Amino acid sequence: MGFRSFVKKYLFFSIYIIAFVEFIYAYFKFVIYSGIFKYPITRNKLLGRIVEGYHSVERSLALPNVRLGFAQKHIAELVELNSLYFEKYGLDTSQIIHSIEVVNEYQHYHKKFNYSIDDDLDKKIELLKEKTGVTNHSLQITTNAQNYFENQNAPFKAFSFSRKSVRKYKNKIIPREDLNEAFLIAQNAPSACNRQGARIHLIEDKELIQNILSIHVGTGGFKNTIHKLIVLTEDMEISNGVFEKNQVYIDGGIFLMNLLYALHYKGIAACPLNNSFSIKQDRKIRKLLKIKESECFIAFVSLGYPEEDLVVTTSKKRDLSEIVNFH
């Protein structure tokens, strides 16, 4: 074997070895530090479960037709998590205060409609109020289509704060030229070395949309109002280096936010949908849409013109002191 051939083979196998080591490193880091295992309980893991829990309640309260008595077991678990957090850390973040307020809103909402939730759950909520001193309830944002878009041409700060996820759409056609202009604006998103791996799959066939959403299972309560769906992917074939394993998701996230802003600018409401599904779901959706293997799913986005009467979630943000670190 010549020296040149030896070097080529060495480099070839070394790339495989480095890629494997990088994968193992990422795997163990995710298993150890993410919240997939409840124990050991850390402040961040516990708070992450609480924020996910209260926001799922907010989403339900913002649906077109709220089902009274929904998710009482989930609320009971959220009450326990809030109580556990308070015992360990007190009210040290606005997120825990807001979470308790969302639980209180759940109780208040049902009382408003004279619906009796489980008596044991009602007592647990009252006990949580007494223990923490948080007696106020949150309130999801009620608006209308005109007010929702009143800042679509405002300076960026007002424009950005005005965009919220919408889960209630009219059955009204969006002109193709408006969609294309939004996609053109979204393309201004930066990508690594300008490789532009984003791919937009726009689904307009109603039956196909419902088939996809029945696999996706993240749109319960409003999927029948979805008449247009974007499946955003990033093509892995444009990644070159062995250390670029996460680059498609970084570029895809940047593109997604630019796309949401572009749709908002064009007066089109949207909601990015959870993209955390199994290999089985991945295979089924990929087959339905004939998406090639090299494309990684980034996000599903429902979009349309909003109904006149809207409820959007409060989605309380963390205090800056919790996310900003000066070095």
Side-chain angles (χ1 to χ4, degrees):
M1 180 188 296
F3 178 74
R4 186 173 293 178
S5 297
F6 172 78
V7 171
K8 282 184 178 179
K9 286 189 176 182
Y10 172 78
L11 290 174
F12 180 79
F13 285 111
S14 67
I15 289 171
Y16 271 95
I17 292 168
I18 293 169
F20 178 74
V21 170
E22 289 287 320
F23 170 80
I24 293 298
Y25 174 78
Y27 167 78
F28 278 106
K29 193 171 183 179
F30 180 75
V31 169
I32 293 168
Y33 294 111
S34 75
I36 59 172
F37 297 114
K38 295 180 182 179
Y39 302 99
I41 295 174
T42 66
R43 177 182 177 278
N44 278 340
K45 282 185 180 181
L46 184 56
L47 190 58
R49 290 174 62 195
I50 287 170
V51 173
E52 180 185 10
Y54 84 62
H55 189 59
S56 71
V57 179
E58 288 187 313
R59 291 199 308 267
S60 296
L61 290 169
L63 289 175
N65 298 297
V66 178
R67 180 175 58 83
L68 291 172
F70 70 90
Q72 293 194 50
K73 287 183 179 179
H74 174 77
I75 299 294
E77 182 182 358
L78 185 58
V79 169
E80 288 180 15
L81 290 173
N82 282 320
S83 182
L84 177 61
Y85 188 98
F86 177 75
E87 289 167 8
K88 284 179 168 287
Y89 310 107
L91 300 175
D92 67 340
T93 168
S94 60
Q95 289 295 300
I96 189 67
I97 296 171
H98 184 67
S99 179
I100 298 168
E101 289 176 342
V102 170
V103 170
N104 295 345
E105 182 182 359
Y106 178 90
Q107 182 191 50
H108 173 80
Y109 185 89
H110 285 84
K111 283 183 177 179
K112 185 173 68 173
F113 289 98
N114 296 315
Y115 184 94
S116 297
I117 61 174
D118 181 78
D119 188 55
D120 186 50
L121 175 58
D122 194 60
K123 287 177 181 176
K124 286 180 179 178
I125 294 173
E126 289 298 328
L127 184 62
L128 182 65
K129 288 181 186 178
E130 183 181 335
K131 182 191 294 187
T132 62
V134 180
T135 57
N136 293 332
H137 64 80
S138 59
L139 193 63
Q140 304 315 304
I141 301 166
T142 302
T143 184
N144 57 53
Q146 183 177 352
N147 289 340
Y148 177 75
F149 287 116
E150 66 181 349
N151 286 316
Q152 70 182 107
N153 294 304
F156 184 73
K157 182 178 179 180
F159 168 81
S160 178
F161 275 97
S162 72
R163 198 215 71 78
K164 292 273 190 179
S165 291
V166 170
R167 297 173 176 85
K168 192 177 181 183
Y169 310 108
K170 293 177 182 176
N171 186 8
K172 182 180 176 182
I173 294 172
I174 305 171
R176 185 63 61 85
E177 55 267 26
D178 286 352
L179 289 169
N180 283 334
E181 187 174 352
F183 299 156
L184 185 66
I185 295 168
Q187 273 193 297
N188 190 47
S191 61
C193 301
N194 195 37
R195 280 176 279 186
Q196 305 171 65
R199 303 291 180 264
I200 296 170
H201 300 269
L202 178 64
I203 320 302
E204 298 179 301
D205 182 274
K206 291 181 182 179
E207 185 177 350
L208 182 56
I209 288 172
Q210 295 306 311
N211 287 338
I212 292 167
L213 295 179
S214 66
I215 299 168
H216 181 276
V217 298
T219 54
F222 76 104
K223 74 176 184 178
N224 291 329
T225 74
I226 299 174
H227 308 294
K228 276 198 188 332
L229 182 70
I230 289 173
V231 177
L232 178 64
T233 68
E234 280 272 339
D235 197 336
M236 201 185 300
E237 287 184 329
I238 58 94
S239 298
N240 295 323
V242 70
F243 302 116
E244 291 190 347
K245 61 185 181 299
N246 298 321
Q247 196 61 51
V248 291
Y249 301 107
I250 295 167
D251 288 359
I254 295 170
F255 189 95
L256 172 62
M257 193 68 251
N258 224 34
L259 175 61
L260 294 173
Y261 279 145
L263 291 168
H264 191 57
Y265 170 71
K266 292 300 297 179
I268 301 168
C271 178
L273 308 174
N274 189 310
N275 196 37
S276 304
F277 45 65
S278 67
I279 294 171
K280 185 177 180 181
Q281 290 168 297
D282 179 294
R283 304 307 305 165
K284 284 185 175 181
I285 294 172
R286 195 176 295 277
K287 185 177 178 181
L288 263 179
L289 298 178
K290 297 180 174 60
I291 292 176
K292 64 181 187 176
E293 295 294 333
S294 63
E295 291 184 38
C296 301
F297 290 117
I298 300 298
F300 290 52
V301 181
S302 62
L303 64 154
Y305 292 120
E307 288 283 3
E308 290 307 317
D309 297 320
L310 279 178
V311 180
V312 293
T313 60
T314 305
S315 299
K316 172 74 176 177
K317 303 306 178 189
R318 291 177 184 257
D319 294 338
L320 278 183
S321 60
E322 294 183 59
I323 69 166
V324 178
N325 298 283
F326 295 96
H327 299 273

